[in-house]
Amino acid sequence: MVQQVNVFPPLKGAFIDLDKVPDPVFAEKMVGDGFAIDPFDNALYAPIDGKIKSIHRAKHAITLESEAGFDILIHIGLETVSLGGTGFDVIVNEGDKVKAGDLLTVFDMDYIAANVVALITPVLVTDIEEKKLQIEILPHDAITDLSKPILTVKLGNHSVADNNVQNTSPQITLESDLITIINSHGIHARPAALLNSIARKFPDNEILMIKGEQSGNVKSVVSLLSLSVQYKDQIQFLVKGNNGVEIIAELTDAIKNLHDDESENPIADPNSGEEDNKVENGKYHGVVASSGLAVARLIKQTGTQFEYERFAADEAEQLAKLDKAIHALVAELENEIKDLTEFDVAHKNILNAHLMILTDPELITQAKNLITNGQSAAYGWDKATTESCKALLATGNQLLIERQNDLIDVRDRVLTILCGNESKKVAEFTEEVILVAEDFTPSQVIAMSDKVKGLVSVRGGVTSHVSILARTRGIPLLVGVAKDVLQEHEQNVVLDTINTAILNVNPTPEELNQAKGEVNRRREALQIAREAAQVPAVTTDGIQINCLANIGNIDEARIAAANGAEGVGLFRTEFMFLETKEAPSEEMQFNEYSDINHVLAGKTLVIRTLDAGGDKKIPYITQMHEENPMLGVRGVRLCLANRELFKTQLRAILKTKAENIKVMIPMISKLTEYRAVKQIFEEIKADLGVNTQIQLGIMVEVPSVAFISEAFAKEVDFMSIGTNDLTQYVMAVDREHTELAKEVDHLHPAVLAAIAATSIGAAKHDTNLSVCGLMASEKLAIPVLIGLGIKNLSMTVSTIPENKAFIRNLNYAKCKEVAEHCLSLPTAIEVREYLKSQFN
Ligand code: PEP
Ligand code: MG
C-alpha cells in the first residue's frame, strides 16, 4: 500500500519554487526537495504531525520527524546561521510531539530582514533517495493558505522503517570539525585544485565543502571557487559514503598545510593605491604587479575571436568532439608540465590548476547539457566557461575575479582545438615591444617571446597567475590602468615599475633617452655581473667574502656552480624526505649526495641533516599533536627522537668520504644536543671506518645559542646563522603567521645584536661562521652582515652574480662602521632607512 502524508505550509507568505531560491544549496536541492515561502508573518507552525527532531543552536532551523519516519527541515531565512540565534524565539523543545498547525517559533522579521540576505524560508523533505520517497507539490495559490496542504509525500510500498532495514549499505555521512582557513588568500584556484585532486581520488563519494549555509562540490573547482572562502573563514567537509574518516583527514590536512606561495604575495608598491587609474599628459598610472623598466614600442594584444556554428544536429558527434578536444588538451598540459624543470614551480602550479579546470565535472556537465539541447560543442564549451567566469565575477571577491583569466585561458585553448583557429598563437615580434591589453592570460605570458619587454593591462591584479608568471619571467607588468590605454597608437613608450608605477605613452625625447640609458645600464650591469660570476667577491679594501649557495636539489647545485657560487652553504635535505612516500633509503641518499658533490667538483658542500617538524611535517614520521609546533619537536629534536632515520642519513653522508662535505645540524638549542649528535656521528664513522675529516657543525637559529656562542664555538667545527628562524625566535613571531610575519624583519636591531653576539663568540675560537638565512641574499643586509664579521654568505642561487658584483664595490671598513651604527638604532625601519642612505 502506498502511504501518503500531506504537508501544510508552515508560514503565511508568498510561495516560491525551490529552484528560484537565491542560494544554490537550496536551489540545487543539496539539502532536500520541497518549496520555499517568503513570509508575511512572524509565526512558524508545524507542517506535519510528528516530533521535533532537532533545533539548530542558532535557532534558525528546525527538523521535524513525521510519524511515517521521514524528516522535514525548515530553514528560516537564508544565511541566518550568522545571527547566532538573535531574533528567534523557539517555543518548542527537541523531542516534543507536535500536531500540524502547532506554533513552533516566533521571529523578529524586521531584525532578520535587516541582517541577512533574505527571509525566504525553504521547507524541505530530506533524504528522499535513501528513504525512497516521492514528493509532489499540490495545486496552491500564490499566497499560502495555512489550512490547505501544499505538498504530499508518498512512501512507496513499505514504510520508511522497512526501507531502512532493507538498505544493506546505508549512505554514511560524515562531517569534519570546523576548519579555519589560514592562508591569506583563502580557497583560490590553486588550493581549490589541490582539494579537488584529493576529492577526485574517491569517485564513489559525494564530498562537499560547507561554508555557513553554502556548500560546494569539492570535485568541482568552479563550485569551490564560487564559495568564495577567504582567510579566517571556517569551513567543514561533508563526506557521503565509505572511507569518510580517511577522506576528511586528507582534506583537512591539505587545508591546514596551505601556506602562501611566496611568488603570490603582492610586491609592495608604496605608490600604488591613491595614484592608480589616473592619466595625465600621457602618463598612465597603475599598480605594479611585476617590477622593471622598459622602453619599447607599444602594441595592442588582441583577444582571440572564434567563429563557430551555434547549433549542431548531431548530438553524439558534438559530444565526442568536446571529449576529444578536452582529452587532447589534458595530454598537452601534462606534456607541458613534464617538460618543466623543478624551478618552474609557479608555472607548474598554474598548469595543474588549468588541468583541474579542464576536467571540472560541473563545467563539463554544463557544456554537455547545452550540446544535448542542440548546440554545437564549441558553443556549449564557450557558454559554460563564460558562465563560470560570470559566477566568479559575481562573488565580488577580487582574488576570484582575477582567476577568471585561468578559465578564459582554458576556454580558449579548447576552442582553439575545436575551431582549428591558428590565430591563437601569439604574434612573433621583430622588434622589442610592450604589450597592452584588457587583460592577459597565463598561456599568453608563457608563450611570449623575449622581444616582449613589458606588459600593461586594464584589468588584472598583483596576485593573479599572470602577475606571478610575469615576475618569474622578469617582465615588468603594470595593471589597473585606465581603459583609454587600449586606444593608444603604436609608438615608443616608457614603462617604469621600479621608480614609479607609470606607463608614459608620450615621453619627451629627454625622458626617452634617460630611460633608454637606464635600461641599458641595468642590462649591462647584469650582464657584467653574470660574466664576472666566477671572480671572487673581494671588497675594495681586500677582504674576500665567500658567496655560497642555498640549494634543495641537484639542479640548483648546477645553477649555483654556473652562477659562481664558491660552494654550497646549505643543502636543505628535507625536500628529499618530503617528496617521497617513505624515508629515502641510505643508498638513494648516498647517490644524491655523491651526485651533488660531483657537480660541485670539490667545492664546499654543507649538507644539513633533516630539518623537519614545525611547519614541515613528514607524513611517514609519527608526531604527537603539538600546540606550538614551531617550539616543539623539530630539527635536531626530531632526529634524536627518530634515531634510525637520523643514523641512516648520517651513514649516507659519511659514506661519501669526501672532505669537502660538512654536516650541519639544524635547530640546536643546547650543547647537550650537539654532544649527543657528535657521539652518534663518531660511532658511525668508526663503524664505517671513515678516516676523512668530515666536519660537524651547527645552525645558529635559536637565541640560546647566540647568547653562549663562545661555548658552542669551542666544541663545534663550524656555525651557520639561520636568520629566518633566528628572527622568528628573537622576535617571538611564527614565521608562517600570515599577518604577523609580514611585519617581522631580519634587519631588526635585536636580530643584528644576536648575530653580533654569535660573531664575537665564533671569533674567540676562530670557528668558521656563515649566514645562510634569506638575509644573506638581500643587498641591503649584506654590508651589515659583512660589517658584523661574516665572511661567508650562503644565498639564493639566482642572486649570486649580482650580489658578488655588489660586494666588490663595498668597503669593509665602511661596512664595520655601518654595522656598528645599525646596532645603535632602535627599530628595523630606522635600520633600513639608514642603510638606504648609505648604499643608495
Ligand atoms: C633559517 O632558518 O634561516 C634557515 C636557513 O633554515 P630554513 O629557512 O630552512 O628553516
Ligand atoms: Mg631554519
Side-chain angles (χ1 to χ4, degrees):
M1 196 190 75
V2 175
Q3 197 185 343
Q4 202 164 309
V5 178
N6 282 336
V7 177
F8 291 82
L11 288 159
K12 181 116 187 124
F15 179 92
I16 296 178
D17 286 323
L18 201 56
D19 59 4
K20 302 277 176 348
V21 173
D23 183 335
V25 182
F26 299 115
E28 290 170 16
K29 303 183 181 171
M30 291 180 193
V31 185
D33 201 354
F35 58 93
I37 298 171
D38 201 355
F40 293 168
D41 203 358
N42 67 345
L44 179 86
Y45 302 95
I48 47 166
D49 293 349
K51 194 173 80 179
I52 303 297
K53 192 169 178 181
S54 71
I55 300 169
H56 193 282
R57 62 178 187 283
K59 298 184 191 166
H60 67 301
I62 294 187
T63 308
L64 291 97
E65 186 180 334
S66 72
E67 286 168 351
F70 66 86
D71 296 340
I72 290 199
L73 168 75
I74 309 171
H75 192 284
I76 305 172
L78 302 179
E79 305 205 6
T80 30
V81 69
S82 59
L83 301 177
T86 312
F88 297 93
D89 190 4
V90 186
I91 313 291
V92 287
N93 293 309
E94 283 180 359
D96 284 358
K97 286 224 158 95
V98 291
K99 287 272 172 215
D102 284 356
L103 183 64
L104 303 179
T105 295
V106 182
F107 50 93
D108 183 338
M109 291 180 73
D110 292 340
Y111 175 79
I112 298 171
N115 287 286
V116 297
V117 176
L119 257 175
I120 294 173
T121 299
V123 181
L124 309 165
V125 181
T126 61
D127 305 322
I128 291 188
E129 253 173 57
E130 294 88 82
K131 294 186 175 171
K132 298 198 172 75
L133 307 173
Q134 279 182 357
I135 65 160
E136 191 185 325
I137 303 282
L138 301 171
H140 57 86
D141 295 328
I143 308 297
T144 54
D145 179 343
L146 298 187
S147 64
K148 279 193 196 157
I150 198 159
L151 177 145
T152 184
V153 181
K154 291 181 192 159
L155 283 91
N157 283 329
H158 8 253
S159 69
V160 169
D162 287 343
N163 284 341
N164 285 345
V165 170
Q166 284 169 12
N167 190 353
T168 48
S169 58
Q171 274 270 315
I172 310 157
T173 302
L174 266 191
E175 240 177 52
S176 71
D177 292 336
L178 279 174
I179 307 160
T180 305
I181 303 298
I182 50 162
N183 64 315
S184 55
H185 300 322
I187 306 297
H188 57 85
R190 265 158 290 125
L194 172 70
L195 297 174
N196 185 268
S197 64
I198 296 172
R200 287 190 192 194
K201 291 194 293 186
F202 305 96
D204 299 332
N205 296 81
E206 188 180 340
I207 306 175
L208 299 177
M209 180 188 280
I210 315 284
K211 181 191 138 191
E213 300 288 308
Q214 294 172 275
S215 72
N217 178 357
V218 185
K219 292 180 182 169
S220 161
V221 171
V222 175
S223 170
L224 276 182
L225 292 184
S226 302
L227 277 182
S228 184
V229 175
Q230 299 182 26
Y231 174 56
K232 285 194 180 156
D233 275 352
Q234 290 202 312
I235 59 107
Q236 269 180 299
F237 289 109
L238 196 140
V239 178
K240 287 192 183 168
N242 296 329
N243 307 320
V245 175
E246 181 197 333
I247 299 170
I248 285 179
E250 203 172 333
L251 289 167
T252 307
D253 225 42
I255 283 229
K256 289 193 172 156
N257 284 321
L258 288 178
H259 49 77
D260 294 326
D261 182 346
E262 209 178 279
S263 53
E264 202 180 301
N265 290 332
I267 290 174
D269 170 32
N271 302 322
S272 69
E274 325 123 31
E275 295 278 284
D276 47 323
N277 222 349
K278 275 197 318 195
V279 196
E280 41 188 26
N281 302 329
K283 289 194 170 80
Y284 285 86
H285 294 248
V287 176
V288 178
S290 169
S291 70
L293 180 71
V295 181
R297 201 159 180 77
L298 188 74
I299 304 260
K300 191 171 165 201
Q301 162 118 11
T302 46
T304 318
Q305 299 295 325
F306 295 93
E307 279 188 8
Y308 50 74
E309 293 294 330
R310 173 167 175 178
F311 299 102
D314 191 338
E315 178 187 316
E317 196 182 306
Q318 295 300 313
L319 287 171
K321 230 176 132 183
L322 180 63
D323 274 339
K324 206 171 149 206
I326 290 174
H327 281 130
L329 185 52
V330 167
E332 230 174 83
L333 285 168
E334 282 172 350
N335 278 336
E336 283 171 27
I337 291 170
K338 232 187 284 151
D339 288 346
L340 293 174
T341 71
E342 290 172 55
F343 310 118
D344 302 315
V345 183
H347 189 167
K348 212 179 262 184
N349 286 341
I350 292 166
L351 293 185
N352 272 321
H354 285 190
L355 261 182
M356 290 302 168
I357 292 174
L358 188 59
T359 50
D360 190 302
E362 297 214 347
L363 202 60
I364 295 175
T365 308
Q366 270 182 44
K368 289 193 169 172
N369 284 345
L370 287 159
I371 296 172
T372 42
N373 280 329
Q375 325 274 1
S376 67
Y379 179 84
W381 179 254
D382 198 352
K383 180 91 178 141
T385 39
T386 308
E387 287 302 315
S388 294
C389 283
K390 283 189 197 154
L392 292 184
L393 203 61
T395 61
N397 176 332
Q398 187 54 32
L399 277 159
L400 296 184
I401 292 169
E402 286 171 13
R403 300 297 178 236
Q404 275 191 105
N405 265 355
D406 295 306
L407 256 168
I408 293 172
D409 210 349
V410 174
R411 179 193 68 189
D412 289 356
R413 288 187 72 169
V414 172
L415 286 174
T416 307
I417 297 172
L418 285 173
C419 307
N421 187 342
E422 291 311 313
S423 69
K424 183 74 184 66
K425 295 239 176 330
V426 176
E428 283 298 324
F429 302 107
T430 49
E431 59 179 340
E432 295 190 341
V433 293
I434 291 172
L435 293 177
V436 61
E438 175 84 27
D439 205 351
F440 298 97
T441 65
S443 294
Q444 285 170 341
V445 182
I446 290 164
M448 274 165 195
S449 77
D450 289 345
K451 291 271 190 269
V452 178
K453 295 295 172 199
L455 299 172
V456 177
S457 70
V458 175
R459 289 199 286 123
V462 288
T463 54
S464 72
H465 282 155
V466 165
S467 303
I468 293 171
L469 285 169
R471 291 202 282 273
T472 310
R473 291 206 48 189
I475 306 175
L477 167 61
L478 189 68
V479 300
V481 172
K483 223 177 165 61
D484 294 352
V485 77
L486 299 173
Q487 313 306 329
E488 294 292 345
H489 301 297
E490 287 190 11
Q491 60 204 311
N492 277 338
V493 298
V494 178
L495 174 63
D496 181 357
T497 54
I498 299 177
N499 310 307
T500 64
I502 290 175
L503 169 74
N504 186 355
V505 297
N506 224 351
T508 60
E510 296 79 58
E511 284 173 327
L512 210 53
N513 279 339
Q514 200 189 343
K516 273 185 188 161
E518 196 177 332
V519 168
N520 288 337
R521 266 194 303 282
R522 284 176 171 275
R523 239 179 240 175
E524 275 161 25
L526 191 63
Q527 188 54 29
I528 292 168
R530 285 201 183 126
E531 279 163 15
Q534 305 299 336
V535 178
V538 180
T539 61
T540 52
D541 45 355
I543 303 294
Q544 175 163 349
I545 306 299
N546 291 318
C547 292
L548 301 121
N550 291 350
I551 64 162
N553 54 45
I554 191 160
D555 289 325
E556 283 182 315
R558 289 195 188 101
I559 301 178
N563 279 0
E566 267 96 32
V568 164
L570 168 64
F571 170 26
R572 290 182 164 104
T573 58
E574 59 270 19
F575 295 114
M576 215 162 62
F577 288 76
L578 285 163
E579 277 163 12
T580 47
K581 280 210 156 52
E582 50 191 41
S585 65
E586 187 177 315
E587 192 190 349
M588 185 181 156
Q589 291 190 55
F590 170 77
N591 290 339
E592 180 81 1
Y593 304 142
S594 306
D595 291 349
I596 292 181
N597 198 33
H598 183 72
V599 168
L600 295 176
K603 288 180 181 162
T604 302
L605 168 58
V606 178
I607 302 179
R608 179 172 75 181
T609 53
L610 179 64
D611 184 14
D615 56 322
K616 299 169 202 150
K617 292 268 182 272
I618 304 234
Y620 47 84
I621 300 181
T622 321
Q623 275 201 270
M624 300 270 287
H625 168 77
E626 294 175 314
E627 286 303 327
N628 296 301
M630 286 297 192
L631 302 179
V633 182
R634 58 165 300 204
V636 69
R637 297 172 188 168
L638 186 88
C639 284
L640 289 174
N642 292 272
R643 293 214 177 193
E644 280 319 306
L645 185 95
F646 188 39
K647 284 180 179 173
T648 305
Q649 183 171 33
L650 290 176
R651 258 199 310 270
I653 302 172
L654 286 167
K655 270 186 171 173
T656 61
K657 299 183 181 170
E659 243 173 48
N660 61 308
I661 287 186
K662 300 180 182 187
V663 180
M664 180 160 73
I665 313 297
M667 276 299 292
I668 289 276
S669 59
K670 332 178 262 196
L671 256 174
T672 46
E673 282 165 341
Y674 175 75
R675 288 174 185 160
V677 173
K678 175 94 176 154
Q679 191 182 340
I680 299 171
F681 185 78
E682 292 301 336
E683 279 168 11
I684 296 174
K685 258 177 91 173
D687 243 26
L688 295 173
V690 176
N691 297 318
T692 359
Q693 280 308 309
I694 296 185
Q695 293 190 8
L696 182 67
I698 60 163
M699 287 199 72
V700 182
E701 310 181 272
V702 183
S704 59
V705 181
F707 289 143
I708 55 161
S709 57
E710 192 188 334
F712 278 94
K714 197 170 167 201
E715 291 195 29
V716 305
D717 294 334
F718 67 94
M719 307 206 279
S720 184
I721 305 176
T723 48
N724 306 337
D725 276 314
L726 185 62
T727 307
Q728 148 167 273
Y729 296 122
V730 166
M731 305 306 292
V733 169
D734 181 343
R735 64 194 261 190
E736 293 291 307
H737 195 294
T738 349
E739 289 301 299
L740 297 177
K742 280 188 266 182
E743 306 289 320
V744 177
D745 193 337
H746 46 222
L747 275 168
H748 191 283
V751 180
L752 300 183
I755 297 171
T758 310
S759 179
I760 292 167
K764 292 240 168 84
H765 296 280
D766 219 8
T767 305
N768 185 293
L769 178 66
S770 62
V771 170
C772 62
L774 207 62
M775 189 173 181
S777 304
E778 193 194 338
K779 274 212 187 77
L780 215 52
I782 287 175
V784 189
L785 292 175
I786 294 175
L788 291 175
I790 313 288
K791 307 264 171 43
N792 305 291
L793 299 172
S794 191
M795 53 188 79
T796 312
V797 283
S798 59
T799 63
I800 297 170
E802 272 183 87
N803 281 339
K804 283 181 98 171
F806 177 65
I807 292 167
R808 285 185 209 113
N809 286 319
L810 292 176
N811 180 282
Y812 183 61
K814 175 167 178 187
C815 289
K816 276 171 79 166
E817 274 169 34
V818 163
E820 199 59 42
H821 185 69
C822 287
L823 284 171
S824 72
L825 293 171
T827 66
I829 297 172
E830 280 155 275
V831 170
R832 281 194 179 271
E833 284 308 314
Y834 167 68
L835 287 171
K836 279 184 198 159
S837 74
Q838 297 299 305
F839 298 100
N840 193 17

